[in-house]
């Protein structure tokens, strides 16, 4: 079981919305780069990434596209 990147953005509202959608579909999601704001001075210029299990990636991508969320990849 591996993880695969689903979404990359520096918009925290998109991250929150995407996580809520995925959790509603019982898809586990892991957020990376949360603490990178220390490096960019809290400017939000470094993107955060959402990771999902490889076997959930296809469905998770479909959920994002159905809700007009740009994956930023």
């Amino acid at each position: 079981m591996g993880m695969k990147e689903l979404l990359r953005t520096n918009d925290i509202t998109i991250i929150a919305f995407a996580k809520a959608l995925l959790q509603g579909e019982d898809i586990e999601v892991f957020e990376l780069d949360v603490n990178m704001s220390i490096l960019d001075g809290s400017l939000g210029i470094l993107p955060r990434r959402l990771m999902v299990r490889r076997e959930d990636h296809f469905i998770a991508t479909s959920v994002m596209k159905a809700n007009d969320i740009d994956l930023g990849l």
Side-chain angles (χ1 to χ4, degrees):
M1 175 177 83
M3 301 290 278
K4 190 168 179 182
E5 184 176 350
L6 173 68
L7 170 67
R8 183 181 299 204
T9 183
N10 46 352
D11 186 338
I12 59 172
T13 60
I14 297 284
I15 294 280
F17 183 47
K19 286 172 68 173
L21 288 170
L22 295 171
Q23 290 168 351
E25 297 290 330
D26 290 327
I27 297 174
E28 290 184 46
V29 60
F30 186 77
E31 187 176 349
L32 295 179
D33 308 319
V34 176
N35 296 317
M36 292 302 287
S37 63
I38 294 168
L39 297 177
D40 73 6
S42 298
L43 298 174
I45 57 174
L46 296 175
R48 294 183 184 185
R49 295 175 288 162
L50 286 186
M51 308 292 285
V52 295
R53 287 184 281 164
R54 279 193 186 280
E55 56 267 22
D56 292 335
H57 191 267
F58 179 77
I59 294 172
T61 300
S62 298
V63 170
M64 296 296 102
K65 289 180 179 179
N67 287 280
D68 295 325
I69 296 176
D70 180 21
L71 300 178
L73 303 174

